[in-house]
Amino acid sequence: MRPLVAHVLGARPNFMKAAPVVRALGQAGAGQMLIHTGQHYDARMSGVFFTDLGLPEPDVNLHVGSGRHGEQTAAVITGVERELMARRPALLVVYGDVNSTLGAALAAAKLQVPIAHVEAGLRSFDNTMPEEINRRLTDQLCELLFVTSPEAVGHLANEGIAPGGVHFTGNTMIDTLVACLDRLDAEAARMAHGLPERYLVATLHRPFNVDHPEAAALLVKAMHQVADEADVIMPVHPRGRVVFEAAGLAGHRRIRMCEPLAYLEFMSLVRGAAAAITDSAGVQEETTFLRVPCLTLRPVTERPVTVTSGSNRLVRAGELASAVHGALAAGPYAGELPPLWDGASAPRIARVITTWLATHRAAGAAPRSQPLDVGPG
Ligand code: UD1
């Protein structure tokens, strides 16, 4: 019987990282199953990505939903544990840094199911972000660690992670972007949203930007200054909608708020934008690849390569308008792209995994020979 590779996906940024890996492993003949935790459950935050990216329907949906961090992570652990015990995969693959990533890794580690982490080793060194905690702890539990940029190798070494399992394979989110480039129609997306030729795309959803009305009010003031210079389209994550509405974001006639967008529509808009304003992780990378100037409203980034070899700049709300002005004057990023952001990361990952599965099998490490239950006492 073919060894089974299980993938855990949960939130929007997982889907574009996983799609090319699932495809490449499928082409390599691996047996696979997809567990969707249901952390994101709206059609616009989840379903539409499966359609756009050609991801197969999940085999299981745990319907974890929203909740406090403890509640959400605990529900992921419980559901993933149940599935791992029933299906006994040879390897669990987790993606990125969301609560579903850490919950799944914890469940697998306790059952001694080996874990692979796609996008290992990124660090912001800011533990106020839940993603940083998720990344650090997940990496400690993994046997295979696939990194997207060279500095991540050093971070893992500094944390005592054995180098043998660390593989610099590149960025699978960029694989997805490369695979979709032909389907990105910037002009059609611009027209559909009634935007002029020069416009900006903005996405803001981080708790430190949207969970506090005072922070949101500062951002709204900054966004209004920006909109004095150029039209802005802003798909709004459910997390920020209420607070941005209350703070009067849409009060400027050149700001259009809309629902979260499907992958192809969003990336089409980014491709045609004169600049992007974000606090997202993925958008920092996607704009670098598309050479669109990016202003990131965060004090730190776990993706420094987007600043050193890309179009990204970290800014505070108070300096946003002048930073946008400068970015518009400077035009598209024209420098080098980060190494191995070439659209071929997932086949590299698939090669490592298939070799690992073959070696693991030959060594007789059959998945789960010991009892899975802790049992009494
Ligand atoms: C999560 C990730 C974050 C990622 C973001 C991308 C963690 C810790 N955070 O943040 O890293 O950048 O996804 O989107 O895992 N909600 C809906 N519908 C949904 C999902 C969420 O309405 O389909 C609302 C709920 O009210 C929920 C809130 O959004 O309370 C936050 O959802 P949650 O999954 O906890 O975190 P995100 O902010 O989406």
Side-chain angles (χ1 to χ4, degrees):
M1 215 174 65
R2 288 184 303 173
L4 182 66
V5 178
H7 304 260
V8 170
L9 319 174
R12 187 170 60 175
N14 289 161
F15 308 135
M16 36 289 211
K17 291 167 194 167
V21 179
V22 173
R23 195 174 313 117
L25 278 170
Q27 283 163 357
Q32 305 190 76
M33 76 172 291
L34 259 61
I35 303 172
H36 190 324
T37 66
Q39 175 175 344
H40 285 175
Y41 42 89
D42 287 352
R44 288 173 185 274
M45 298 293 287
S46 172
V48 77
F49 287 83
F50 280 72
T51 321
D52 268 6
L53 305 178
L55 267 167
E57 276 292 302
D59 296 271
V60 186
N61 191 319
L62 303 176
H63 297 293
V64 159
S66 304
R68 293 189 303 275
H69 284 271
E71 274 175 327
Q72 193 175 53
T73 312
V76 172
I77 296 173
T78 308
V80 171
E81 178 181 67
R82 193 176 55 236
E83 292 305 320
L84 295 180
M85 290 175 77
R87 301 294 296 263
R88 299 175 176 242
L91 183 71
L92 178 78
V93 188
V94 296
Y95 297 86
D97 54 17
V98 300
N99 286 343
S100 296
T101 311
L102 176 62
L106 280 171
K110 295 289 183 81
L111 295 173
Q112 295 164 44
V113 173
I115 308 160
H117 185 199
V118 174
E119 200 187 83
L122 294 182
R123 298 291 180 265
S124 65
F125 302 98
D126 175 4
N127 277 340
T128 65
M129 292 182 69
E131 293 81 2
E132 181 73 357
I133 297 166
N134 292 342
R135 288 180 204 117
R136 278 180 180 276
L137 297 182
T138 299
D139 285 340
Q140 285 296 327
L141 304 175
C142 291
E143 187 145 342
L144 293 174
L145 300 103
F146 297 111
V147 311
T148 56
S149 62
E151 82 283 357
V153 175
H155 295 158
L156 293 170
N158 290 342
E159 291 169 20
I161 291 168
V166 178
H167 302 269
F168 174 32
T169 40
N171 191 329
T172 63
M173 198 171 214
I174 301 303
D175 285 23
T176 291
L177 190 48
V178 170
C180 292
L181 273 181
D182 287 349
R183 291 193 285 156
L184 302 186
D185 189 339
E187 191 60 10
R190 176 178 80 75
M191 305 281 274
H193 289 274
L195 291 160
E197 268 184 31
R198 194 180 75 156
Y199 66 91
L200 311 171
V201 173
T203 67
L204 298 165
H205 71 278
R206 295 273 165 208
F208 53 75
N209 278 330
V210 303
D211 280 4
H212 309 290
E214 316 81 64
L218 273 181
L219 275 188
V220 166
K221 188 172 165 216
M223 291 300 294
H224 284 184
Q225 287 166 352
V226 167
D228 288 339
E229 178 154 357
D231 285 57
V232 181
I233 172 95
M234 184 163 173
V236 185
H237 183 289
R239 172 162 221 135
R241 173 163 288 282
V242 174
V243 75
F244 279 138
E245 273 171 2
L249 180 65
H252 195 295
R253 65 178 177 84
R254 294 176 80 186
I255 295 185
R256 294 165 182 70
M257 279 165 73
C258 66
E259 294 292 316
L261 299 176
Y263 179 77
L264 292 174
E265 188 174 12
F266 180 66
M267 291 317 309
S268 297
L269 281 174
V270 172
R271 191 181 199 180
I277 297 166
T278 196
D279 58 10
S280 146
V283 174
Q284 297 173 60
E285 298 185 336
E286 289 156 339
T287 47
T288 279
F289 185 81
L290 293 172
R291 301 181 174 282
V292 173
C294 181
L295 291 318
T296 297
L297 279 157
R298 286 176 45 179
V300 287
T301 179
E302 66 290 334
R303 287 156 164 88
V305 75
T306 62
V307 176
T308 54
S309 314
S311 62
N312 191 21
R313 187 179 152 200
L314 304 182
V315 292
R316 292 188 306 271
E319 54 191 353
L320 181 65
S322 65
V324 167
H325 183 77
L328 293 178
Y333 172 67
E336 295 282 307
L337 290 177
L340 298 191
W341 287 24
D342 57 359
S345 301
R348 287 183 204 110
I349 290 174
R351 279 197 290 280
V352 174
I353 289 180
T354 45
T355 306
W356 181 89
L357 286 171
T359 320
H360 203 63
R361 235 179 167 192
R368 291 295 55 74
S369 49
Q370 55 276 77
L372 287 163
D373 287 329
V374 173

